[in-house]
């Protein structure tokens, strides 16, 4: 009587869990004995009651497991969690296609369920999640690096892949925010991040260098949006405790919020109000064909930098 290993995930998470499960079974002496899509519960269980003639331990991958339909309760006795035959049933993470929809509750208790870890909603919890995953993967990441990862990446599988790449990149060294920026961003995104951070830090040289690079190859209106978003956070920061409420409502990440507070300390509420107003004016004029283009944005940025305390 076979054991059932149930995978409930989608996309890259599903492929990773499937590969890891197969590798784990192979380490335990199991041999891959085939792969099929869907099938029939009765024949699937009865044909795999015992190990093969030459393979005492074996596993079979059942892709698109929802095609099997519901497991009849009368066949539940055929599931044995200690069997030398393992059936890996692959389901989606969609609630409509998860194992619980197809396997009786009593039988489900005898199965091993494998799910992708849920990615937390809030920035601070995401930082803890990334730190925990980094430790699990044996990657040393300092707090700044963790904050930068949470700032830049939203997909847990992409974070996992990038952590593995960072480990190879640093070869046992500690991963910093600069390392994450260097490896995880293309040139355009890297220049934009440096422009945003430079504005918050009052670093005119970095701002000018990044601005020149973006203006040569980027588009103005898409560039205005992230600048407005960061400076809007800085403006809210000037509202004191109420500012934190707005930042949380907007889903601001810790890194962006920390930089925004630095911008508020550096420029003050009035200068930030003028700069945000200028950004809105540039956007409206540009869309109507009356704008000054990149020169208008450069002038607004120069005015903000000159207002630094």
């Amino acid at each position: 009587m076979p054991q059932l290993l149930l995978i409930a995930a989608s996309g890259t998470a599903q492929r990773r869990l499937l590969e890891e499960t197969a590798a784990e079974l192979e380490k335990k002496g199991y041999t891959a004995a085939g792969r099929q899509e869907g099938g029939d519960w009765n024949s699937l269980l009865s044909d795999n009651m015992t190990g093969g003639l030459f393979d005492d331990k074996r596993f079979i991958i059942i892709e698109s497991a929802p095609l099997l339909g519901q497991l009849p309760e009368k066949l539940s006795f055929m599931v044995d969690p200690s069997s030398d035959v393992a059936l890996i049933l692959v389901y989606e993470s969609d609630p409509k296609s998860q194992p619980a929809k197809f396997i009786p509750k009593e039988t489900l208790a005898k199965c091993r369920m494998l799910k992708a870890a849920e990615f937390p909603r809030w920035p601070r919890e995401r930082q803890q999640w990334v730190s925990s995953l980094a430790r699990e993967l044996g990657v040393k990441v300092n707090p700044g690096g963790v904050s930068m990862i949470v700032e830049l990446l939203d997909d847990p599988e992409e974070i996992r892949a990038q952590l593995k790449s960072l480990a190879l990149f640093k070869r046992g060294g500690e991963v910093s925010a600069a390392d994450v920026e260097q490896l995880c961003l293309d040139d355009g995104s890297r220049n934009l991040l440096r422009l945003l951070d430079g504005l918050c830090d009052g670093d005119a040289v970095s701002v000018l260098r990044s601005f020149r690079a973006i203006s040569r190859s980027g588009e103005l209106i898409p560039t205005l949006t992230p600048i407005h978003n960061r400076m809007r956070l800085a403006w809210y920061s000037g509202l004191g405790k109420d500012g934190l409420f707005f930042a949380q409502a907007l889903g601001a990440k810790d890194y962006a919020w920390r930089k925004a507070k630095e911008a508020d300390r550096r420029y003050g509420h009035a200068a930030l109000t003028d700069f945000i107003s200028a950004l809105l004016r540039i956007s409206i004029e540009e869309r109507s064909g009356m704008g000054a283009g990149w020169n208008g944005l450069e002038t607004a940025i120069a005015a903000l930098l000159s207002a630094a305390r």
Side-chain angles (χ1 to χ4, degrees):
M1 294 185 286
Q3 58 173 301
L4 301 184
L5 305 180
L6 313 176
I7 291 178
S10 302
T12 54
Q14 184 186 95
R15 292 194 296 274
R16 176 180 59 82
L17 287 173
L18 182 55
E19 291 171 359
E20 291 178 352
T21 302
E24 178 187 339
L25 288 172
E26 287 173 350
K27 286 182 179 179
K28 294 179 179 179
Y30 285 78
T31 302
R35 184 187 293 255
Q36 69 181 62
E37 187 168 321
D40 173 73
W41 275 115
N42 189 55
S43 58
L44 180 65
L45 295 175
S46 60
D47 291 348
N48 294 285
M49 295 285 286
T50 60
L53 182 61
F54 302 104
D55 300 319
D56 291 334
K57 292 185 175 182
R58 60 193 175 97
F59 66 87
I60 299 171
I61 298 172
I62 315 298
E63 297 184 302
S64 301
L67 294 177
L68 285 166
Q70 290 189 332
L71 171 65
E73 291 191 21
K74 64 180 181 180
L75 300 180
S76 294
F77 76 94
M78 300 176 72
V79 177
D80 180 5
S82 62
S83 174
D84 287 340
V85 180
L87 302 179
I88 305 176
L89 278 69
V90 182
Y91 292 87
E92 297 288 332
S93 57
D94 182 350
K96 294 181 180 179
S97 61
Q98 286 189 355
K101 293 288 184 179
F102 298 95
I103 299 178
K105 184 176 180 180
E106 296 75 13
T107 309
L108 201 60
K110 297 191 292 182
C111 303
R112 181 182 169 194
M113 180 81 75
L114 300 163
K115 293 183 178 181
E118 292 186 7
F119 198 40
R121 177 181 178 183
W122 303 110
R124 189 60 55 85
E125 294 173 347
R126 288 189 175 188
Q127 289 184 16
Q128 295 172 351
W129 187 91
V130 171
S131 295
S132 176
L133 178 60
R135 286 193 297 270
E136 176 186 323
L137 297 175
V139 186
K140 300 176 183 177
V141 187
N142 67 25
V146 171
S147 294
M148 182 65 77
I149 289 173
V150 172
E151 171 70 16
L152 300 180
L153 305 174
D154 289 315
D155 181 73
E157 291 302 313
E158 185 179 0
I159 291 174
R160 178 182 292 272
Q162 291 291 2
L163 282 172
K164 291 179 179 178
S165 298
L166 286 163
L168 295 173
F169 178 70
K170 293 300 290 186
R171 297 185 181 278
E174 188 175 65
V175 175
S176 67
D179 296 324
V180 177
E181 178 187 327
Q182 179 67 30
L183 189 66
C184 300
L185 293 178
D186 57 29
D187 289 342
S189 299
R190 192 178 303 120
N191 283 322
L192 179 58
L193 180 62
R194 289 173 180 172
L195 174 61
L196 296 177
D197 289 352
L199 283 173
C200 294
D201 297 336
D203 186 346
V205 173
S206 177
V207 169
L208 181 60
R209 189 175 294 152
S210 301
F211 179 85
R212 293 299 186 199
I214 294 172
S215 63
R216 281 196 297 268
S217 58
E219 297 182 27
L220 178 58
I221 291 179
T223 302
L224 292 172
T225 300
I227 297 176
H228 174 265
N229 289 343
R230 178 68 68 86
M231 291 305 157
R232 178 180 59 174
L233 278 181
W235 190 89
Y236 282 132
S237 176
L239 300 179
K241 293 181 179 179
D242 290 337
L244 180 59
F245 170 79
F246 284 110
Q248 291 174 339
L250 291 169
K253 298 172 182 176
D254 284 0
Y255 180 85
W257 179 239
R258 188 168 66 250
K259 286 293 186 181
K261 289 193 291 185
E262 175 62 28
D264 173 57
R265 288 191 294 267
R266 185 170 303 279
Y267 302 112
H269 208 61
L272 288 171
T273 300
D274 291 341
F275 183 63
I276 292 172
S277 299
L279 293 177
L280 295 174
R281 183 173 60 254
I282 291 169
S283 178
I284 293 171
E285 292 176 349
E286 194 66 22
R287 293 174 190 276
S288 63
M290 300 169 56
W294 288 100
N295 289 333
L297 178 58
E298 186 174 12
T299 301
I301 287 175
L304 178 66
L305 291 171
S306 66
R309 296 171 177 172

